[in-house]
Amino acid sequence: MKNNKKLIALIIAVSLLAGCPSRNSHKEDEDYYVKDTNAFNILISQYANNIEQIWGPKEVLIAGPKDYVQYEDNLKTRVHINFVSGIITIETMAESPIENLKEAIVSTLLMSEPVDIIRHDKISQDLSKDPFLYNQVLDQELQPIRWSGRANSFADYVLANNLKIRTSGPHKIAYVEIKLVPNHINQRAKKFLPLVTEASNRYFIDERLILAIMEVESAFNPYAVSRTDALGLMQVQQHTAGRDIFKLRGKSGEPSRKFLLDPRNNVDMGTAYLSLLKTKYLAGINNPISLRYAMITSYNGGAGSVLRTFSNDRNEAINIINSMTPQQVYRKLVTSHVAQESRNYLVKVSRILDNK
């Protein structure tokens, strides 16, 4: 318990794990599917304690929905990609900072697949795939980076021009910052558009809605993990939405973490859950715009809590929603829904949809 409290304080201090505590849950099923993230929390706690011992209590960074964090060199070097600000920070406390930073820069620029929070071996580039950050980082000649030669050249340039030193407690930390291109969010979105189109056609869900949810959930970070163990681009939880979709498909149990961190599976499962909300849990809402507002809010906080915003009786709630204009439904959800997070979520997703 003491370690868990300590971890929570550390995570709050660095503001990295802003995951949604009720992601993809709904009242009908949440009574049956009690999410057990104890093993996940223990794992993160172990990592955090080890990181704290080396970096200090104010320097603990753990991956979040919109932050990729990976450690190497026995935890003395780390990479942090913030997918909102568009800044890659690579820093080290190693005795040979230039060598360690260069290796981390090159590995980051060329990585094609996610790696564990702690990397033990050198990353080998998959030459059949573009690197994940391809077109999101341009080198000193404003060229995208695909091969090791250009990655090494850019690493040398960055270290010669942007190397900085900071202190944290007794530690001296060498670091560099690399900016992603201004439209980095759109660049990532393009990578997953074929998967979105495929899922949209399969489940009859608007592409724009899927993309807007992905942007709010993860900023198109396929490695996204929240403190509640929601995973991937659409932040699907194994224990709620994942279990629901498996059950719908006649499968027992729930999808694995590896399954949900695969972008194709994640987009498929997240969109399938939107379809389940639309055709089952929110069935009966007639106006498509009102239904969309209810689906968005339900994706974050559950269908049960959305309906209870209008009435504790499901049928009466549906009737009340159908008696209101879409604008009235929206105002009711953003002012009266029990969860502030879900109210804000509807505003964020709707704002993106209005601008598309």
PDB file of all heavy atoms in Angstrom, residues 195-206 210 245 248-249 264-265 267-276 278-279 295:
ATOM      1  N   LEU A 195      -6.670   1.601 -41.792  1.00  0.00           N
ATOM      2  CA  LEU A 195      -7.309   0.766 -40.768  1.00  0.00           C
ATOM      3  C   LEU A 195      -8.632   1.376 -40.331  1.00  0.00           C
ATOM      4  O   LEU A 195      -9.608   0.651 -40.081  1.00  0.00           O
ATOM      5  CB  LEU A 195      -6.384   0.626 -39.550  1.00  0.00           C
ATOM      6  CG  LEU A 195      -4.997   0.030 -39.787  1.00  0.00           C
ATOM      7  CD1 LEU A 195      -4.236  -0.069 -38.465  1.00  0.00           C
ATOM      8  CD2 LEU A 195      -5.104  -1.342 -40.450  1.00  0.00           C
ATOM      9  N   VAL A 196      -8.672   2.696 -40.242  1.00  0.00           N
ATOM     10  CA  VAL A 196      -9.903   3.384 -39.848  1.00  0.00           C
ATOM     11  C   VAL A 196     -10.979   3.199 -40.915  1.00  0.00           C
ATOM     12  O   VAL A 196     -12.136   2.916 -40.604  1.00  0.00           O
ATOM     13  CB  VAL A 196      -9.618   4.880 -39.607  1.00  0.00           C
ATOM     14  CG1 VAL A 196     -10.918   5.654 -39.403  1.00  0.00           C
ATOM     15  CG2 VAL A 196      -8.714   5.056 -38.392  1.00  0.00           C
ATOM     16  N   THR A 197     -10.593   3.343 -42.166  1.00  0.00           N
ATOM     17  CA  THR A 197     -11.547   3.166 -43.265  1.00  0.00           C
ATOM     18  C   THR A 197     -12.109   1.750 -43.265  1.00  0.00           C
ATOM     19  O   THR A 197     -13.322   1.537 -43.434  1.00  0.00           O
ATOM     20  CB  THR A 197     -10.877   3.468 -44.618  1.00  0.00           C
ATOM     21  OG1 THR A 197     -10.412   4.813 -44.622  1.00  0.00           O
ATOM     22  CG2 THR A 197     -11.853   3.274 -45.768  1.00  0.00           C
ATOM     23  N   GLU A 198     -11.238   0.781 -43.065  1.00  0.00           N
ATOM     24  CA  GLU A 198     -11.654  -0.620 -43.029  1.00  0.00           C
ATOM     25  C   GLU A 198     -12.645  -0.867 -41.893  1.00  0.00           C
ATOM     26  O   GLU A 198     -13.690  -1.506 -42.087  1.00  0.00           O
ATOM     27  CB  GLU A 198     -10.412  -1.492 -42.858  1.00  0.00           C
ATOM     28  CG  GLU A 198     -10.666  -2.988 -42.901  1.00  0.00           C
ATOM     29  CD  GLU A 198      -9.381  -3.783 -42.751  1.00  0.00           C
ATOM     30  OE1 GLU A 198      -8.340  -3.332 -43.280  1.00  0.00           O
ATOM     31  OE2 GLU A 198      -9.415  -4.842 -42.100  1.00  0.00           O
ATOM     32  N   ALA A 199     -12.330  -0.365 -40.712  1.00  0.00           N
ATOM     33  CA  ALA A 199     -13.216  -0.552 -39.555  1.00  0.00           C
ATOM     34  C   ALA A 199     -14.521   0.205 -39.744  1.00  0.00           C
ATOM     35  O   ALA A 199     -15.603  -0.286 -39.368  1.00  0.00           O
ATOM     36  CB  ALA A 199     -12.515  -0.094 -38.287  1.00  0.00           C
ATOM     37  N   SER A 200     -14.448   1.397 -40.309  1.00  0.00           N
ATOM     38  CA  SER A 200     -15.649   2.195 -40.563  1.00  0.00           C
ATOM     39  C   SER A 200     -16.615   1.454 -41.476  1.00  0.00           C
ATOM     40  O   SER A 200     -17.827   1.407 -41.225  1.00  0.00           O
ATOM     41  CB  SER A 200     -15.254   3.536 -41.189  1.00  0.00           C
ATOM     42  OG  SER A 200     -16.398   4.256 -41.616  1.00  0.00           O
ATOM     43  N   ASN A 201     -16.094   0.863 -42.535  1.00  0.00           N
ATOM     44  CA  ASN A 201     -16.935   0.116 -43.469  1.00  0.00           C
ATOM     45  C   ASN A 201     -17.485  -1.164 -42.844  1.00  0.00           C
ATOM     46  O   ASN A 201     -18.610  -1.582 -43.146  1.00  0.00           O
ATOM     47  CB  ASN A 201     -16.136  -0.230 -44.722  1.00  0.00           C
ATOM     48  CG  ASN A 201     -15.774   1.001 -45.545  1.00  0.00           C
ATOM     49  OD1 ASN A 201     -16.454   2.023 -45.475  1.00  0.00           O
ATOM     50  ND2 ASN A 201     -14.699   0.924 -46.303  1.00  0.00           N
ATOM     51  N   ARG A 202     -16.714  -1.775 -41.974  1.00  0.00           N
ATOM     52  CA  ARG A 202     -17.144  -3.032 -41.356  1.00  0.00           C
ATOM     53  C   ARG A 202     -18.273  -2.800 -40.345  1.00  0.00           C
ATOM     54  O   ARG A 202     -19.216  -3.579 -40.273  1.00  0.00           O
ATOM     55  CB  ARG A 202     -15.960  -3.706 -40.670  1.00  0.00           C
ATOM     56  CG  ARG A 202     -16.324  -5.041 -40.005  1.00  0.00           C
ATOM     57  CD  ARG A 202     -15.117  -5.682 -39.330  1.00  0.00           C
ATOM     58  NE  ARG A 202     -14.061  -5.977 -40.291  1.00  0.00           N
ATOM     59  CZ  ARG A 202     -12.834  -5.492 -40.229  1.00  0.00           C
ATOM     60  NH1 ARG A 202     -12.485  -4.693 -39.236  1.00  0.00           N
ATOM     61  NH2 ARG A 202     -11.940  -5.809 -41.140  1.00  0.00           N
ATOM     62  N   TYR A 203     -18.176  -1.721 -39.578  1.00  0.00           N
ATOM     63  CA  TYR A 203     -19.120  -1.527 -38.472  1.00  0.00           C
ATOM     64  C   TYR A 203     -20.089  -0.368 -38.685  1.00  0.00           C
ATOM     65  O   TYR A 203     -20.904  -0.084 -37.798  1.00  0.00           O
ATOM     66  CB  TYR A 203     -18.342  -1.307 -37.168  1.00  0.00           C
ATOM     67  CG  TYR A 203     -17.476  -2.476 -36.784  1.00  0.00           C
ATOM     68  CD1 TYR A 203     -16.087  -2.407 -36.895  1.00  0.00           C
ATOM     69  CD2 TYR A 203     -18.035  -3.660 -36.328  1.00  0.00           C
ATOM     70  CE1 TYR A 203     -15.287  -3.487 -36.541  1.00  0.00           C
ATOM     71  CE2 TYR A 203     -17.245  -4.741 -35.987  1.00  0.00           C
ATOM     72  CZ  TYR A 203     -15.867  -4.647 -36.096  1.00  0.00           C
ATOM     73  OH  TYR A 203     -15.079  -5.725 -35.748  1.00  0.00           O
ATOM     74  N   PHE A 204     -19.988   0.302 -39.835  1.00  0.00           N
ATOM     75  CA  PHE A 204     -20.879   1.416 -40.146  1.00  0.00           C
ATOM     76  C   PHE A 204     -20.777   2.536 -39.115  1.00  0.00           C
ATOM     77  O   PHE A 204     -21.782   3.061 -38.629  1.00  0.00           O
ATOM     78  CB  PHE A 204     -22.333   0.928 -40.269  1.00  0.00           C
ATOM     79  CG  PHE A 204     -22.514  -0.175 -41.275  1.00  0.00           C
ATOM     80  CD1 PHE A 204     -22.648  -1.495 -40.870  1.00  0.00           C
ATOM     81  CD2 PHE A 204     -22.511   0.104 -42.639  1.00  0.00           C
ATOM     82  CE1 PHE A 204     -22.799  -2.517 -41.790  1.00  0.00           C
ATOM     83  CE2 PHE A 204     -22.661  -0.918 -43.573  1.00  0.00           C
ATOM     84  CZ  PHE A 204     -22.799  -2.238 -43.140  1.00  0.00           C
ATOM     85  N   ILE A 205     -19.539   2.887 -38.794  1.00  0.00           N
ATOM     86  CA  ILE A 205     -19.257   3.992 -37.894  1.00  0.00           C
ATOM     87  C   ILE A 205     -18.496   5.061 -38.679  1.00  0.00           C
ATOM     88  O   ILE A 205     -17.561   4.753 -39.409  1.00  0.00           O
ATOM     89  CB  ILE A 205     -18.412   3.530 -36.682  1.00  0.00           C
ATOM     90  CG1 ILE A 205     -19.149   2.465 -35.879  1.00  0.00           C
ATOM     91  CG2 ILE A 205     -18.055   4.723 -35.799  1.00  0.00           C
ATOM     92  CD1 ILE A 205     -20.422   2.927 -35.205  1.00  0.00           C
ATOM     93  N   ASP A 206     -18.891   6.306 -38.509  1.00  0.00           N
ATOM     94  CA  ASP A 206     -18.292   7.421 -39.234  1.00  0.00           C
ATOM     95  C   ASP A 206     -16.778   7.471 -39.006  1.00  0.00           C
ATOM     96  O   ASP A 206     -16.311   7.463 -37.867  1.00  0.00           O
ATOM     97  CB  ASP A 206     -18.945   8.720 -38.741  1.00  0.00           C
ATOM     98  CG  ASP A 206     -18.508   9.952 -39.541  1.00  0.00           C
ATOM     99  OD1 ASP A 206     -17.620   9.828 -40.404  1.00  0.00           O
ATOM    100  OD2 ASP A 206     -19.063  11.040 -39.284  1.00  0.00           O
ATOM    101  N   ILE A 210     -14.244   8.005 -35.469  1.00  0.00           N
ATOM    102  CA  ILE A 210     -13.147   7.121 -35.043  1.00  0.00           C
ATOM    103  C   ILE A 210     -11.859   7.929 -34.906  1.00  0.00           C
ATOM    104  O   ILE A 210     -11.138   7.819 -33.907  1.00  0.00           O
ATOM    105  CB  ILE A 210     -12.949   5.972 -36.047  1.00  0.00           C
ATOM    106  CG1 ILE A 210     -14.247   5.159 -36.203  1.00  0.00           C
ATOM    107  CG2 ILE A 210     -11.799   5.068 -35.610  1.00  0.00           C
ATOM    108  CD1 ILE A 210     -14.200   4.155 -37.343  1.00  0.00           C
ATOM    109  N   ILE A 245     -16.427  -7.379 -26.559  1.00  0.00           N
ATOM    110  CA  ILE A 245     -16.343  -7.715 -27.985  1.00  0.00           C
ATOM    111  C   ILE A 245     -16.018  -9.186 -28.170  1.00  0.00           C
ATOM    112  O   ILE A 245     -16.560  -9.853 -29.063  1.00  0.00           O
ATOM    113  CB  ILE A 245     -15.297  -6.821 -28.685  1.00  0.00           C
ATOM    114  CG1 ILE A 245     -15.678  -5.340 -28.548  1.00  0.00           C
ATOM    115  CG2 ILE A 245     -15.190  -7.193 -30.156  1.00  0.00           C
ATOM    116  CD1 ILE A 245     -17.054  -5.000 -29.047  1.00  0.00           C
ATOM    117  N   LEU A 248     -19.182 -11.023 -27.678  1.00  0.00           N
ATOM    118  CA  LEU A 248     -20.057 -10.849 -28.842  1.00  0.00           C
ATOM    119  C   LEU A 248     -19.652 -11.765 -29.983  1.00  0.00           C
ATOM    120  O   LEU A 248     -20.492 -12.230 -30.760  1.00  0.00           O
ATOM    121  CB  LEU A 248     -20.011  -9.383 -29.294  1.00  0.00           C
ATOM    122  CG  LEU A 248     -20.985  -8.943 -30.381  1.00  0.00           C
ATOM    123  CD1 LEU A 248     -22.416  -8.984 -29.860  1.00  0.00           C
ATOM    124  CD2 LEU A 248     -20.647  -7.537 -30.876  1.00  0.00           C
ATOM    125  N   ARG A 249     -18.370 -12.064 -30.085  1.00  0.00           N
ATOM    126  CA  ARG A 249     -17.844 -12.911 -31.156  1.00  0.00           C
ATOM    127  C   ARG A 249     -17.776 -14.385 -30.759  1.00  0.00           C
ATOM    128  O   ARG A 249     -17.183 -15.198 -31.465  1.00  0.00           O
ATOM    129  CB  ARG A 249     -16.458 -12.414 -31.574  1.00  0.00           C
ATOM    130  CG  ARG A 249     -16.491 -11.025 -32.194  1.00  0.00           C
ATOM    131  CD  ARG A 249     -15.107 -10.464 -32.443  1.00  0.00           C
ATOM    132  NE  ARG A 249     -15.193  -9.153 -33.095  1.00  0.00           N
ATOM    133  CZ  ARG A 249     -14.150  -8.377 -33.360  1.00  0.00           C
ATOM    134  NH1 ARG A 249     -12.935  -8.781 -33.025  1.00  0.00           N
ATOM    135  NH2 ARG A 249     -14.313  -7.199 -33.939  1.00  0.00           N
ATOM    136  N   ARG A 264      -3.972  -2.631 -35.887  1.00  0.00           N
ATOM    137  CA  ARG A 264      -5.123  -3.176 -36.608  1.00  0.00           C
ATOM    138  C   ARG A 264      -6.160  -3.738 -35.638  1.00  0.00           C
ATOM    139  O   ARG A 264      -7.357  -3.455 -35.760  1.00  0.00           O
ATOM    140  CB  ARG A 264      -4.682  -4.256 -37.591  1.00  0.00           C
ATOM    141  CG  ARG A 264      -5.847  -4.898 -38.374  1.00  0.00           C
ATOM    142  CD  ARG A 264      -5.345  -5.897 -39.397  1.00  0.00           C
ATOM    143  NE  ARG A 264      -4.554  -5.250 -40.410  1.00  0.00           N
ATOM    144  CZ  ARG A 264      -5.073  -4.627 -41.471  1.00  0.00           C
ATOM    145  NH1 ARG A 264      -6.384  -4.584 -41.639  1.00  0.00           N
ATOM    146  NH2 ARG A 264      -4.283  -4.062 -42.359  1.00  0.00           N
ATOM    147  N   ASN A 265      -5.717  -4.513 -34.677  1.00  0.00           N
ATOM    148  CA  ASN A 265      -6.635  -5.078 -33.699  1.00  0.00           C
ATOM    149  C   ASN A 265      -7.269  -3.991 -32.839  1.00  0.00           C
ATOM    150  O   ASN A 265      -8.460  -4.054 -32.507  1.00  0.00           O
ATOM    151  CB  ASN A 265      -5.911  -6.068 -32.788  1.00  0.00           C
ATOM    152  CG  ASN A 265      -5.378  -7.270 -33.530  1.00  0.00           C
ATOM    153  OD1 ASN A 265      -5.919  -7.664 -34.567  1.00  0.00           O
ATOM    154  ND2 ASN A 265      -4.318  -7.866 -33.021  1.00  0.00           N
ATOM    155  N   VAL A 267      -7.824  -0.715 -33.502  1.00  0.00           N
ATOM    156  CA  VAL A 267      -8.830   0.071 -34.219  1.00  0.00           C
ATOM    157  C   VAL A 267     -10.092  -0.762 -34.437  1.00  0.00           C
ATOM    158  O   VAL A 267     -11.212  -0.274 -34.296  1.00  0.00           O
ATOM    159  CB  VAL A 267      -8.258   0.592 -35.555  1.00  0.00           C
ATOM    160  CG1 VAL A 267      -9.350   1.276 -36.367  1.00  0.00           C
ATOM    161  CG2 VAL A 267      -7.107   1.557 -35.296  1.00  0.00           C
ATOM    162  N   ASP A 268      -9.907  -2.034 -34.760  1.00  0.00           N
ATOM    163  CA  ASP A 268     -11.056  -2.919 -34.956  1.00  0.00           C
ATOM    164  C   ASP A 268     -11.872  -3.062 -33.675  1.00  0.00           C
ATOM    165  O   ASP A 268     -13.102  -2.929 -33.684  1.00  0.00           O
ATOM    166  CB  ASP A 268     -10.575  -4.286 -35.431  1.00  0.00           C
ATOM    167  CG  ASP A 268     -11.731  -5.265 -35.629  1.00  0.00           C
ATOM    168  OD1 ASP A 268     -12.410  -5.173 -36.661  1.00  0.00           O
ATOM    169  OD2 ASP A 268     -11.950  -6.108 -34.730  1.00  0.00           O
ATOM    170  N   MET A 269     -11.197  -3.290 -32.541  1.00  0.00           N
ATOM    171  CA  MET A 269     -11.898  -3.498 -31.281  1.00  0.00           C
ATOM    172  C   MET A 269     -12.568  -2.214 -30.796  1.00  0.00           C
ATOM    173  O   MET A 269     -13.707  -2.226 -30.320  1.00  0.00           O
ATOM    174  CB  MET A 269     -10.927  -4.006 -30.218  1.00  0.00           C
ATOM    175  CG  MET A 269     -10.347  -5.382 -30.494  1.00  0.00           C
ATOM    176  SD  MET A 269     -11.528  -6.732 -30.260  1.00  0.00           S
ATOM    177  CE  MET A 269     -11.518  -6.880 -28.487  1.00  0.00           C
ATOM    178  N   GLY A 270     -11.863  -1.089 -30.927  1.00  0.00           N
ATOM    179  CA  GLY A 270     -12.454   0.169 -30.503  1.00  0.00           C
ATOM    180  C   GLY A 270     -13.670   0.541 -31.313  1.00  0.00           C
ATOM    181  O   GLY A 270     -14.683   1.008 -30.776  1.00  0.00           O
ATOM    182  N   THR A 271     -13.594   0.323 -32.624  1.00  0.00           N
ATOM    183  CA  THR A 271     -14.730   0.638 -33.490  1.00  0.00           C
ATOM    184  C   THR A 271     -15.871  -0.347 -33.256  1.00  0.00           C
ATOM    185  O   THR A 271     -17.051   0.041 -33.291  1.00  0.00           O
ATOM    186  CB  THR A 271     -14.299   0.617 -34.965  1.00  0.00           C
ATOM    187  OG1 THR A 271     -13.148   1.449 -35.141  1.00  0.00           O
ATOM    188  CG2 THR A 271     -15.415   1.118 -35.868  1.00  0.00           C
ATOM    189  N   ALA A 272     -15.547  -1.602 -33.019  1.00  0.00           N
ATOM    190  CA  ALA A 272     -16.577  -2.590 -32.690  1.00  0.00           C
ATOM    191  C   ALA A 272     -17.317  -2.195 -31.422  1.00  0.00           C
ATOM    192  O   ALA A 272     -18.537  -2.385 -31.311  1.00  0.00           O
ATOM    193  CB  ALA A 272     -15.958  -3.979 -32.535  1.00  0.00           C
ATOM    194  N   TYR A 273     -16.577  -1.626 -30.463  1.00  0.00           N
ATOM    195  CA  TYR A 273     -17.231  -1.195 -29.228  1.00  0.00           C
ATOM    196  C   TYR A 273     -18.153  -0.006 -29.489  1.00  0.00           C
ATOM    197  O   TYR A 273     -19.255   0.078 -28.931  1.00  0.00           O
ATOM    198  CB  TYR A 273     -16.195  -0.835 -28.165  1.00  0.00           C
ATOM    199  CG  TYR A 273     -16.839  -0.541 -26.835  1.00  0.00           C
ATOM    200  CD1 TYR A 273     -17.393  -1.565 -26.072  1.00  0.00           C
ATOM    201  CD2 TYR A 273     -16.931   0.761 -26.352  1.00  0.00           C
ATOM    202  CE1 TYR A 273     -18.017  -1.295 -24.866  1.00  0.00           C
ATOM    203  CE2 TYR A 273     -17.553   1.030 -25.145  1.00  0.00           C
ATOM    204  CZ  TYR A 273     -18.097   0.007 -24.409  1.00  0.00           C
ATOM    205  OH  TYR A 273     -18.718   0.263 -23.226  1.00  0.00           O
ATOM    206  N   LEU A 274     -17.748   0.919 -30.343  1.00  0.00           N
ATOM    207  CA  LEU A 274     -18.634   2.020 -30.728  1.00  0.00           C
ATOM    208  C   LEU A 274     -19.909   1.477 -31.367  1.00  0.00           C
ATOM    209  O   LEU A 274     -21.018   1.972 -31.107  1.00  0.00           O
ATOM    210  CB  LEU A 274     -17.918   2.957 -31.703  1.00  0.00           C
ATOM    211  CG  LEU A 274     -16.879   3.901 -31.110  1.00  0.00           C
ATOM    212  CD1 LEU A 274     -16.096   4.598 -32.226  1.00  0.00           C
ATOM    213  CD2 LEU A 274     -17.540   4.930 -30.209  1.00  0.00           C
ATOM    214  N   SER A 275     -19.756   0.449 -32.206  1.00  0.00           N
ATOM    215  CA  SER A 275     -20.921  -0.176 -32.833  1.00  0.00           C
ATOM    216  C   SER A 275     -21.823  -0.829 -31.794  1.00  0.00           C
ATOM    217  O   SER A 275     -23.052  -0.764 -31.887  1.00  0.00           O
ATOM    218  CB  SER A 275     -20.459  -1.214 -33.862  1.00  0.00           C
ATOM    219  OG  SER A 275     -21.558  -1.874 -34.436  1.00  0.00           O
ATOM    220  N   LEU A 276     -21.212  -1.458 -30.785  1.00  0.00           N
ATOM    221  CA  LEU A 276     -21.993  -2.096 -29.724  1.00  0.00           C
ATOM    222  C   LEU A 276     -22.776  -1.047 -28.937  1.00  0.00           C
ATOM    223  O   LEU A 276     -23.954  -1.267 -28.592  1.00  0.00           O
ATOM    224  CB  LEU A 276     -21.053  -2.865 -28.795  1.00  0.00           C
ATOM    225  CG  LEU A 276     -21.679  -3.778 -27.743  1.00  0.00           C
ATOM    226  CD1 LEU A 276     -22.499  -4.882 -28.396  1.00  0.00           C
ATOM    227  CD2 LEU A 276     -20.593  -4.377 -26.857  1.00  0.00           C
ATOM    228  N   LYS A 278     -23.785   1.794 -30.128  1.00  0.00           N
ATOM    229  CA  LYS A 278     -24.794   2.327 -31.044  1.00  0.00           C
ATOM    230  C   LYS A 278     -25.976   1.384 -31.212  1.00  0.00           C
ATOM    231  O   LYS A 278     -27.145   1.810 -31.184  1.00  0.00           O
ATOM    232  CB  LYS A 278     -24.132   2.600 -32.402  1.00  0.00           C
ATOM    233  CG  LYS A 278     -25.077   3.090 -33.485  1.00  0.00           C
ATOM    234  CD  LYS A 278     -24.305   3.298 -34.789  1.00  0.00           C
ATOM    235  CE  LYS A 278     -25.226   3.761 -35.909  1.00  0.00           C
ATOM    236  NZ  LYS A 278     -24.452   3.952 -37.173  1.00  0.00           N
ATOM    237  N   THR A 279     -25.692   0.110 -31.382  1.00  0.00           N
ATOM    238  CA  THR A 279     -26.754  -0.836 -31.764  1.00  0.00           C
ATOM    239  C   THR A 279     -27.388  -1.570 -30.592  1.00  0.00           C
ATOM    240  O   THR A 279     -28.446  -2.174 -30.750  1.00  0.00           O
ATOM    241  CB  THR A 279     -26.188  -1.879 -32.744  1.00  0.00           C
ATOM    242  OG1 THR A 279     -25.105  -2.596 -32.115  1.00  0.00           O
ATOM    243  CG2 THR A 279     -25.686  -1.212 -34.020  1.00  0.00           C
ATOM    244  N   MET A 295     -22.905   8.341 -27.716  1.00  0.00           N
ATOM    245  CA  MET A 295     -21.842   7.372 -27.981  1.00  0.00           C
ATOM    246  C   MET A 295     -20.489   7.896 -27.510  1.00  0.00           C
ATOM    247  O   MET A 295     -19.704   7.161 -26.887  1.00  0.00           O
ATOM    248  CB  MET A 295     -21.780   7.052 -29.480  1.00  0.00           C
ATOM    249  CG  MET A 295     -22.938   6.223 -30.003  1.00  0.00           C
ATOM    250  SD  MET A 295     -22.974   6.182 -31.821  1.00  0.00           S
ATOM    251  CE  MET A 295     -21.378   5.422 -32.187  1.00  0.00           C
TER     252      MET A 295
END
